[in-house]
Amino acid sequence: MSVLVCFHAHPDDEAISTGGLMRKAADAGHQVHLVTATRGEQGEPQAGVLAEGEQLWERRILEVAESASLLGCTSNQFLGYEDSGMMGEAENDNPACFWQADVEEAAERLRAMLQAVDADVLTIYDPNGLYGHPDHIQVHRVGL
């Protein structure tokens, strides 16, 4: 049995990019762990999706938990940073956002998670973060 850790920027990225791999690995008897860097606070929900007073990050935490369960994950953890928004937006300047995170500090957080589960494989994005999103680029840098 191997231990797979999929590292993503936001809730829903796991379903979009590695969901099939995660479910297939879980079905084959491997441990699958999900680490998400942010809670996806800067997403753009359609009107009427959120309940009165509900914050987007609250919904996204619930959704990623459900996704992790459906994908057969053994654990679902957050790295603890805020969503950076799209490249060039004011949210990129937030000192608590993932884009502004010190790479070595963030890598140390991730390393501790990887070590705790005795990871064999880690998935990350390509150097451009698939499409240039700052949090996806940072997943590459931190994961590397």
Side-chain angles (χ1 to χ4, degrees), residues 21-125:
L21 168 70
M22 295 166 79
R23 185 70 240 186
K24 187 172 184 175
D27 287 346
H30 302 289
Q31 280 189 27
V32 179
H33 300 270
L34 174 60
V35 176
T36 309
T38 78
R39 299 179 303 179
E41 296 91 341
Q42 300 301 325
E44 300 172 350
Q46 295 294 315
V49 169
L50 299 175
E52 180 76 29
E54 182 181 24
Q55 299 296 309
L56 178 59
W57 65 267
E58 295 170 312
R59 174 69 64 90
R60 294 190 88 180
I61 285 175
L62 295 174
E63 289 176 348
V64 77
E66 179 68 15
S67 176
S69 176
L70 291 170
L71 295 173
C73 293
T74 304
S75 71
N76 168 36
Q77 301 179 70
F78 287 91
L79 206 56
Y81 295 96
E82 292 181 24
D83 189 346
S84 304
M86 297 302 287
M87 191 64 81
E89 293 182 359
E91 291 83 7
N92 296 171
D93 297 328
N94 174 1
C97 80
F98 191 43
W99 181 242
Q100 293 296 325
D102 177 82
V103 171
E104 293 302 318
E105 177 189 314
E108 178 57 30
R109 290 184 192 185
L110 180 61
R111 184 208 55 79
M113 292 175 175
L114 296 173
Q115 192 170 40
V117 300
D118 197 22
D120 294 304
V121 177
L122 173 68
T123 67
I124 60 173
Y125 306 124

Side-chain angles (χ1 to χ4, degrees), residues 7-10 12-19 86-87 99 123-141:
F7 182 33
H8 289 286
H10 315 101
D12 79 10
D13 290 336
E14 79 289 342
I16 294 168
S17 58
T18 59
M86 297 302 287
M87 191 64 81
W99 181 242
T123 67
I124 60 173
Y125 306 124
D126 68 13
N128 189 47
L130 301 175
Y131 65 100
H133 190 294
D135 289 333
H136 289 234
I137 294 168
Q138 194 74 320
V139 162
H140 174 80
R141 292 174 180 169

